[in-house]
Every structure is written in structure tokens, then in C-alpha cells.
């Protein structure tokens, strides 16, 4: 049984990926998210961190396209997303974590302005917003990431949480 709540959540995840809102997910959406992160944290695209982020965005896009772009037109339609990505990612959340990890790692590096390999809860919320998570969900989601309450969020917190958010349970 497919509930309307489930449908609604799928639509929200699609909208998160479809950063420019043109109705399909493609490379530009991933690069758009990278660009938004660099702007938010004042990091130059040509810097090492900037280049790592774009590399991670490309890998993330290639991984998603490999899973979901059935007709190979370099676009993931809503139908391809629902019938390909969502089912396959739900069956294998580890695979999604693997695809997203280089990008998330680079995103945290961009947000980690003092270089202590962790970001504050506030910075994590700004990262989530740049990735298209709706504003009202970004701050609470970031606070949840800080499970031990020390005010810092690291990669070990972010990758599984991101995978959970996108591998929508039925
Ligand atoms: Ca798009
Ligand atoms: Ca396609």
C-alpha cells in the first residue's frame, strides 16, 4: 500500500534534489548545491576545498544517474526517481551513503572554518539548507545530528542521517 504521506515525502525529497526546480534532477542541480555551499561559507571554487566539493558533486551525480537514469538522457525525471532511486536506495541505504559520502565530506570541510574536523550545529543547519532541506527542517535536523550534545557535528553523524532522510521508509 502506498500512502499519501509516503507520496508526499517522496515529492519533498525529489524537490530537495531538484535544486533549480525545473522538474528533473541533473548535474546542474548538484553543481548548484556545491555553488550555494561555497557562497554560504565564503570559500573560493578554485580552492582545494572548492575543487573537492565539485569533485564530490560530480561523483554524487554520477552515482545517482547510475541508479536512476534508466534512459540515459542525463536527467532523472520524477518517475525515474520514484521507480528507480527511491526503491533501490531504500533496499540499500549503504549504497546511498557511499555515493553521497565524498560530497558530504567535502561539504563539511567547506563548513569547517577552524579545521577541527567538525562543524557546529548552526553550521550543519546552514549546510542542510544549501542542500535544499527546507529551512524549517534544517535547524532541527542539524540539532538531531549532534547526538551527544557537544555542539559539534562530524562526518560519522552526517552521512547516515543524510542516507536516512533520503531513503524514505514506507
Ligand atoms: Ca533540476
Ligand atoms: Ca532519464
Amino acid at each position: 500500500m502506498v500512502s499519501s504521506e509516503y507520496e508526499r515525502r517522496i515529492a519533498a525529497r525529489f524537490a530537495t534534489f531538484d535544486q533549480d526546480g525545473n522538474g528533473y534532477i541533473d548535474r546542474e542541480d548538484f553543481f548548484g548545491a556545491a555553488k550555494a555551499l561555497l557562497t554560504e561559507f565564503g570559500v573560493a571554487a578554485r580552492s582545494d576545498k572548492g575543487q573537492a566539493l565539485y569533485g564530490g558533486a560530480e561523483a554524487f551525480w554520477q552515482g545517482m544517474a547510475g541508479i536512476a537514469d534508466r534512459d540515459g538522457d542525463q536527467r532523472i525525471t520524477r518517475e525515474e526517481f520514484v521507480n528507480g532511486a527511491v526503491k533501490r536506495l531504500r533496499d540499500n541505504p549503504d549504497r546511498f551513503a557511499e555515493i553521497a559520502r565524498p560530497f558530504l565530506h567535502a561539504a563539511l570541510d567547506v563548513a569547517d572554518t577552524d579545521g577541527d574536523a567538525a562543524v557546529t550545529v548552526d553550521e550543519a543547519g546552514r549546510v542542510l539548507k544549501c542542500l535544499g532541506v527546507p529551512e524549517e527542517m534544517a535547524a532541527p535536523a542539524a540539532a538531531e545530528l549532534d547526538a551527544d550534545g557537544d555542539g559539534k557535528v562530524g562526518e560519522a553523524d552526517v552521512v547516515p542521517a543524510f542516507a536516512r532522510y533520503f531513503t524514505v521508509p514506507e
Side-chain angles (χ1 to χ4, degrees):
M1 275 268 291
V2 175
S3 70
S4 59
E5 169 62 15
Y6 177 68
E7 293 280 329
R8 195 190 62 73
R9 292 177 62 167
I10 297 288
R13 300 310 183 271
F14 184 83
T16 301
F17 274 109
D18 180 17
Q19 289 247 327
D20 58 12
N22 64 353
Y24 51 82
I25 300 164
D26 70 4
R27 181 182 273 109
E28 291 310 310
D29 293 312
F30 289 83
F31 283 7
K35 197 176 170 200
L37 277 164
L38 294 178
T39 302
E40 175 71 25
F41 292 98
V43 173
R46 285 168 183 274
S47 66
D48 288 347
K49 285 183 178 186
Q51 291 299 299
L53 187 63
Y54 277 106
E58 174 66 19
F60 197 177
W61 158 245
Q62 290 292 342
M64 287 296 290
I67 286 172
D69 181 20
R70 289 185 180 177
D71 61 4
D73 69 350
Q74 301 292 306
R75 295 174 175 186
I76 299 169
T77 62
R78 201 185 138 104
E79 203 217 333
E80 286 175 327
F81 184 75
V82 171
N83 294 324
V86 172
K87 282 183 190 140
R88 292 184 63 182
L89 294 174
R90 194 176 55 225
D91 292 347
N92 192 356
D94 290 347
R95 174 76 184 125
F96 183 74
E98 199 181 295
I99 289 169
R101 188 184 303 276
F103 178 72
L104 293 174
H105 179 89
L108 290 179
D109 259 1
V110 164
D112 174 20
T113 44
D114 65 1
D116 67 350
V119 300
T120 65
V121 169
D122 175 61
E123 287 165 338
R126 286 161 64 196
V127 169
L128 293 177
K129 253 189 284 177
C130 291
L131 300 183
V133 175
E135 184 154 10
E136 69 276 11
M137 290 174 70
E144 250 177 64
L145 291 175
D146 177 25
D148 63 2
D150 70 349
K152 296 279 188 179
V153 176
E155 185 178 326
D157 302 312
V158 170
V159 173
F162 198 72
R164 271 199 309 277
Y165 176 76
F166 282 106
T167 53
V168 187
E170 241 170 319

